Structure formats: C-alpha cells, structure tokens
Amino acid sequence: MLVSKVDEVLTLPRPRPLWTVARALTLGSFVFFGLGAWIAVNGIYQELPLIAQTAPEGYDIFSYATMCIAMANVVPALYFWVVYGMSARARAAADHLAIVTVVGAGGIAACFLLGQYWDQVTLIFGTRRSGLLILLMFCAGAIDCLTSLLFYPVLVGFPNECVTALSLGEALT
C-alpha cells in the first residue's frame, strides 16, 4: 500500500530557547571583559581633580593626561607593525601572550604603581614635575589603547553576538 505525503505527520523541531544559562554567562563574561578595556584611564580621570590639588602642575595635569593618552595611541600601531607579517597562528599566539602579559600583568602593575607613586615629584630641567605620574599615565594609556586591538581577534571562535557584548562592555566604560 502506498502512503501519500499528505498522510505523513509533520513534526516540527522544538524551538530553541532564546536565553540559556550558558549563553547568558558567555555574553555577560564578554560584557565584563569589555568593561576592563579602559578601566585604568577612567580611573586616572576620576582621580585627577584630587591629584591636581597637590601636583606641581596644578590643574594643567589634565592637559598632561590627555596628551599622554593621545600619544599612547602609537603603541597599537607599533604592535600592529610588529605582527603584520606573521602567520595567523603566530599572530593568535602573539595576541594571547600580549593580552596576558601586557594587558593583564602590565595593567595591574601600572595601576599598582600609580596608586603608590602618584605624588612623587622629580626635578626635570630644574622644574618640579610629576614625572613618574606622567610616565605611568602614558603606560596605562598605552595598555588601554592596546586592548581594542587585542580583544576583538579573541572573538573569532564565538558567535557574532559576543562582538556586541564586548562592544557594549567597552562602551559602558
């Protein structure tokens, strides 16, 4: 006996839930990952009104901080120049190493040193300056500028919505 296609029972696949715990944790992790992107620079700007009261530069320290962070944008360009000719596998290894050492350890070290030595004054060409503070602001700015270049290649193996979650985290800082 022949069975026609009309007689077959159609079974539809069960719809996938929009939010699972694993998906929510993954996207939340990328948001928090993005929140850490500019945290050092934001912390510096939060504290500058207090620093300006005791720094030899006074409220000009805001201009120094802006210039340090603007000049720190050279560091991602230098990093890109260094890894430009690498294979995809070597570039991924360099990116992961830079994330752990430069962004992770360097960011922690820069923030720790800023917290300890922000008020140190040095003589530069016979003038009292916050030399160490300015140098550490440059380092923190360089590390934070580098995060935008380093974080996005990590997303290659993840769904597209993880890019949105990382961007949201960076935007919230």
Side-chain angles (χ1 to χ4, degrees), residues 13-148:
R14 289 175 37 128
R16 198 177 85 179
L18 288 177
W19 287 97
T20 61
V21 172
R23 182 177 177 202
L25 287 174
T26 300
L27 294 178
S29 297
F30 276 103
V31 169
F32 282 117
F33 192 51
L35 281 171
W38 286 92
I39 199 80
V41 169
N42 289 338
I44 290 169
Y45 277 112
Q46 281 297 142
E47 297 298 325
L48 276 180
L50 297 174
I51 292 171
Q53 294 174 5
T54 60
E57 296 84 4
Y59 284 92
D60 288 344
I61 197 74
F62 285 91
S63 299
Y64 285 97
T66 302
M67 290 304 297
C68 286
I69 293 161
M71 289 187 299
N73 279 304
V74 172
V75 173
L78 291 174
Y79 179 80
F80 184 73
W81 180 69
V82 168
V83 299
Y84 179 72
M86 291 183 175
S87 67
R89 175 171 275 171
R91 168 79 190 268
D95 286 348
H96 286 104
L97 182 66
I99 288 172
V100 171
T101 57
V102 175
V103 174
I108 290 169
C111 288
F112 176 77
L113 291 172
L114 274 165
Q116 294 297 316
Y117 301 110
W118 66 271
D119 57 349
Q120 298 298 313
V121 176
T122 56
L123 286 176
I124 300 175
F125 301 117
T127 307
R128 291 171 34 97
R129 296 283 178 201
S130 303
L132 193 55
L133 173 65
I134 292 168
L135 176 69
L136 289 171
M137 283 192 294
F138 175 82
C139 292
I143 291 166
D144 285 357
C145 290
L146 200 56
T147 59
S148 298

